[in-house]
Amino acid sequence: MKGNQNGPRAVALVGPAGAGKTSLAEAILFASGAIQRLGAVAAGTSVGDASPESRARGGSTELNLMRFEWLGDGFTLIDSPGSPGFAADANLAVLAADLALVVIDADPARAPLAEPVLRWLEARGMPHALFVNKIDQARGTIEELLEALQPMSAAPLVARQIPIRKGEQVTGYVDLALERAYLYQPGKPSEQISIADAMRDEEKAARFHMLEQLADHDDALLEQLISDETPSLDTVFGDLASETRAGLVVPVLFGSAVNGFGIRRLLKMLRHDTPSAAATAERLGIKAPAAQTFKVLHGSTVGRLALARVYGGALSEGAELSGIGGKARSGALFTIQGANTVKVARAEPGEIVGIAKADTVRAGELVALGAAACGEGLKRQVPVSNCAVAISAMDHKDDVRLSTALGKMTEEDPGLHWGADEASGSTLLHGVNDEHLTVAIDRLKRRYGVGVNVQPPRVAYKESVRKPASQRGRHKKQSGGHGQYGDCVIEIRPIERGSGFVFEEKITGGAIPRQYIPAVEAGVRDAMEKGPLGFPVVDVAVTLTDGSFHSVDSSELAFRTAGRIAMAEAMANAAPYMLEPIAHVTIQSPGSATSRITSAVASRRGQLLGFAPTPGWSRWDTIELLLPESELQGLEAELRSLSQGMARFEARFDHLAEVAQKLAGEIRQRVEVV
């Protein structure tokens, strides 16, 4: 059976961190002849994960692109990071692929880790298949694994193989479509053997179950099964291919990337069952020749590249591009193999290339090839950025370089964004989690040569007052010529939480001229920027009741100073107390980790609001709680350690709450030290 010859195809490798996606990509490159020597992630010799940050961590920190051919068909692999902090880097690229291959562990206990990506693919109508990696280390049976996984998928999981075991060890597999048995050979293609008599009944039952699943979408096959007719191989393979491409079923294969087990069988499946680039263009709504961009890459050797997949027509260097930012000319084109780029003159439909000098093109943009109008494209998916650090250049001379570098990094990575903190004026770099930010800081230093100071962001503590107070503020100064004179009396009182600030005036008899009243309010606001406890003041009402002025020496500046004096002294006499911001936190976690997580957040002064199964998910819980924002520091790392790296949270400001006196003293000491 021939594979799809309609141009190169793209397969995205997705799944939980640690499942072995990059090792599988390496095994595919080796088995297909794209590389002559098998590298290893652990040894830092793989084609993927070539960046220093990935090598240092032994895992993907950005997407990787790799090319290979198999039996005359061209493919690009999109290796997507599995860690939640880096996964968003490849989301657009995954959607532009023809098929997603979900790589998972062979341990049923780790099955829930695959649910987020399965739900994500399903929601976007993305055809996908499952590859169970590390089958030689399997702790349970394939049946147990599929039983755990099926509730996570609306489409049926169709096992295309059953394992051959020697004791507890998986030593080979039976291909249910071909009804052939194969024995794994380390470093070599699997050896075909006869199906053992003891496995005949198991094989026939498993094959019939596979055919039943396919027959749910093929009435002719269903009729054959009811009539006890044996369907032809063309029928079986045809249904497997068409139903996989349509997302009606999710085929399941297994093997071992490190040992090369099951890789050639996987390659055959990819060749026969992966949809064409034309089918993907139809899924994405692309009706005319276009390039779908999915990432911007800033490289040291070739400069800025817009990574894109070409649909419906060829793209040549110098071709006219029509995008949201207007018309442009394509610069040089590059194919990408891991960390290496190769210049090419032309990209055929289905190919993925880097386009140089396309400075107006942004990630997610659909760029028309020629003068035609561009389409909508893919919306850049911005993940929740729960973590932040305050950064500054070690050398003030590098401030401009730092801004330039941050601009490039945030253009590359949708999970990063930066801006000024209104309260402190410092520059905040926001990321998905602490691991994500650590990698970003490392990359900032290595790639752009900008040394930075890094500190935790300041918590936005506030203060308010408990009781009313009245105070006169007088500013009088005589130093030759016109002096300065301002005199005001104010009353302050606490108001409802969240009301902010209210200013009123009850001046009678012209005690203070009308033109100076705004100056008094300005002085009051000045004093509120830092109250007697050292924090901005909120939820206070101020009433200007009386005062006096001098016909010559009074001025706006004098009354502003008087207002500031009056407010500062009034707040000190009004029983000030400290407030801290409280966040409403929503945690999504595998159900197996829920009890550990609820205990952990309780130790962080969290107030549990409740938890329940995540709607539509099989083994995940949603936990709702209130948590002081100061306790969010380090929360994501703790959640990762308690949930095999999969729990994630979203936090939003909810309200301000009073801080206990003892804790308030500790916080003030800590803030003063900083």
Side-chain angles (χ1 to χ4, degrees):
M1 184 180 296
K2 292 185 179 181
N4 190 322
Q5 301 297 317
N6 189 18
R9 285 169 287 172
V11 175
L13 303 182
V14 298
K21 298 180 291 297
T22 304
S23 296
L24 178 59
E26 192 76 9
I28 288 173
L29 295 179
F30 181 68
S32 65
I35 57 176
Q36 301 304 310
R37 185 174 181 178
L38 185 66
V41 174
T45 56
S46 58
V47 175
D49 286 356
S51 72
E53 292 79 20
S54 293
R55 292 272 162 91
R57 284 158 180 77
S60 301
T61 59
E62 62 279 312
L63 71 84
N64 290 274
L65 301 176
M66 289 155 275
R67 297 156 56 91
F68 71 93
E69 287 190 4
W70 178 250
L71 300 179
D73 285 358
F75 288 86
T76 297
L77 288 175
I78 301 168
D79 182 13
S80 173
S83 172
F86 309 109
D89 185 50
N91 284 348
L92 292 180
V94 171
L95 293 177
D98 304 311
L99 181 80
L101 186 62
V102 184
V103 185
I104 61 173
D105 283 309
D107 184 357
R110 289 178 57 84
L113 306 186
E115 186 155 8
V117 69
L118 288 172
R119 297 294 185 189
W120 188 86
L121 294 169
E122 194 172 89
R124 288 154 182 80
M126 182 83 187
H128 54 284
L130 276 171
F131 182 78
V132 182
N133 195 18
K134 308 174 187 178
I135 193 65
D136 50 330
Q137 303 172 24
R139 296 185 181 180
T141 66
I142 288 294
E143 293 78 14
E144 291 171 332
L145 180 62
L146 294 183
E147 184 178 341
L149 288 168
Q150 186 58 73
M152 306 173 192
S153 174
L157 306 180
V158 177
R160 294 189 51 164
Q161 303 165 319
I162 58 173
I164 298 173
R165 294 180 180 272
K166 185 176 182 180
E168 294 297 317
Q169 190 76 16
V170 176
T171 58
Y173 67 94
V174 176
D175 186 303
L176 296 178
L178 291 170
E179 294 192 283
R180 296 175 185 171
Y182 296 88
L183 194 66
Y184 292 139
Q185 299 289 323
K188 302 177 183 178
S190 299
E191 175 188 355
Q192 184 176 343
I193 59 174
S194 299
I195 299 177
D197 292 338
M199 288 195 68
R200 289 285 179 184
D201 291 342
E202 180 186 358
E203 183 273 329
K204 289 187 178 299
R207 187 173 197 268
F208 187 77
H209 179 60
M210 179 188 76
L211 296 176
E212 281 185 315
Q213 291 176 300
L214 297 176
D216 286 340
H217 307 285
D218 183 348
D219 292 341
L221 176 58
L222 179 60
E223 190 172 330
Q224 287 180 304
L225 296 181
I226 294 173
S227 304
D228 289 330
E229 296 179 24
T230 301
S232 68
L233 283 180
D234 283 346
T235 296
V236 175
F237 279 112
D239 279 2
L240 282 168
S242 63
E243 294 181 23
T244 298
R245 293 170 186 168
L248 300 174
V249 299
V250 180
V252 182
L253 293 88
F254 54 78
S256 170
V258 171
N259 294 306
F261 297 162
I263 303 304
R264 288 166 178 81
R265 176 64 265 175
L266 173 63
L267 282 167
K268 292 176 182 177
M269 186 278 288
L270 295 177
R271 180 171 182 257
H272 297 317
D273 299 355
T274 301
S276 66
T280 299
E282 184 177 353
R283 169 169 60 82
L284 298 177
I286 301 173
K287 299 178 181 179
Q292 175 61 66
T293 60
F294 55 83
K295 181 179 174 68
V296 169
L297 185 66
H298 290 274
S300 57
T301 56
V302 295
R304 183 185 188 273
L305 290 180
L307 305 187
R309 191 171 189 211
V310 181
Y311 297 101
L315 171 64
S316 300
E317 181 177 352
E320 184 178 6
L321 305 175
S322 300
I324 296 174
K327 298 186 185 301
R329 291 284 175 184
S330 166
L333 304 178
F334 297 86
T335 59
I336 299 171
Q337 185 79 328
N340 299 319
T341 55
V342 176
K343 187 177 179 181
V344 294
R346 177 183 172 95
E348 300 297 331
E351 287 196 288
I352 291 177
V353 291
I355 307 172
K357 296 184 179 179
D359 293 342
T360 61
V361 175
R362 299 291 178 257
E365 187 175 348
L366 183 65
V367 181
L369 306 184
C374 60
E376 185 175 344
L378 296 171
K379 185 178 180 181
R380 194 181 193 199
Q381 297 165 313
V382 181
V384 176
S385 300
N386 285 314
C387 295
V389 291
I391 63 172
S392 59
M394 289 183 177
D395 188 337
H396 289 305
K397 295 179 181 178
D398 288 336
D399 285 346
V400 174
R401 291 179 59 205
L402 175 60
S403 297
T404 301
L406 289 175
K408 291 181 178 180
M409 289 176 60
T410 52
E411 185 181 31
E412 281 191 1
D413 188 343
L416 291 174
H417 64 92
W418 66 288
D421 180 10
E422 293 183 3
S424 65
S426 59
T427 298
L428 294 183
L429 178 62
H430 297 264
V432 176
N433 55 32
D434 55 346
E435 182 185 31
H436 184 214
L437 285 175
T438 299
V439 168
I441 296 299
D442 289 346
R443 188 166 289 142
L444 185 65
K445 296 175 181 177
R446 175 188 61 82
R447 186 187 294 180
Y448 299 101
V450 180
V452 293
N453 298 309
V454 179
Q455 292 181 329
R458 290 186 180 181
V459 177
Y461 294 111
K462 310 288 186 188
E463 61 180 271
S464 190
V465 298
R466 291 191 192 282
K467 63 181 185 180
S470 177
Q471 184 65 47
R472 178 181 292 275
R474 178 177 292 168
H475 176 62
K476 183 178 181 181
K477 187 176 182 181
Q478 189 70 44
S479 56
H482 285 304
Q484 297 181 34
Y485 184 89
D487 175 35
C488 64
V489 178
I490 63 171
E491 294 177 353
I492 71 171
R493 68 183 189 279
I495 55 177
E496 186 178 353
R497 181 76 62 244
S499 299
F501 171 64
V502 175
F503 182 83
E504 302 169 328
E505 59 88 11
K506 295 182 179 179
I507 297 297
T508 59
I512 297 178
R514 309 302 298 178
Q515 68 267 29
Y516 296 142
I517 292 177
V520 175
E521 180 181 353
V524 167
R525 290 182 179 273
D526 290 344
M528 291 177 64
E529 291 179 2
K530 187 175 183 180
L533 301 181
F535 304 102
V537 179
V538 295
D539 302 334
V540 172
V542 176
T543 303
L544 175 61
T545 61
D546 199 1
S548 62
F549 72 101
H550 189 280
S551 59
V552 176
D553 293 343
S554 288
S555 65
E556 290 186 0
L557 177 59
F559 272 99
R560 182 166 184 164
T561 303
R564 184 174 66 248
I565 293 171
M567 187 62 181
E569 294 181 0
M571 288 189 296
N573 297 326
Y577 64 96
M578 187 174 170
L579 296 166
E580 65 177 337
I582 304 296
H584 183 282
V585 179
T586 302
I587 301 173
Q588 282 195 312
S589 166
S592 59
T594 298
S595 61
R596 296 191 296 273
I597 288 174
T598 54
S599 297
V601 295
S603 68
R604 290 175 173 263
R605 299 190 289 134
Q607 178 188 345
L608 185 65
L609 300 177
F611 63 89
T614 302
W617 291 47
S618 62
R619 298 188 181 187
W620 282 64
D621 288 335
T622 299
I623 305 167
E624 303 278 346
L625 67 143
L626 296 175
L627 191 69
E629 285 189 7
S630 60
E631 299 290 348
L632 291 175
Q633 193 75 25
L635 175 63
E636 195 278 337
E638 185 172 16
L639 293 180
R640 279 206 318 267
S641 69
L642 296 173
S643 64
Q644 296 180 298
M646 294 308 297
R648 57 189 185 274
F649 76 93
E650 294 185 19
R652 57 176 174 78
F653 172 77
D654 191 83
H655 66 280
L656 290 170
E658 182 177 351
V659 182
Q661 187 173 1
K662 181 179 179 181
L663 179 59
E666 295 174 357
I667 292 172
R668 290 178 63 193
Q669 286 184 344
R670 188 164 61 244
V671 171
E672 288 172 2
V673 169
V674 173

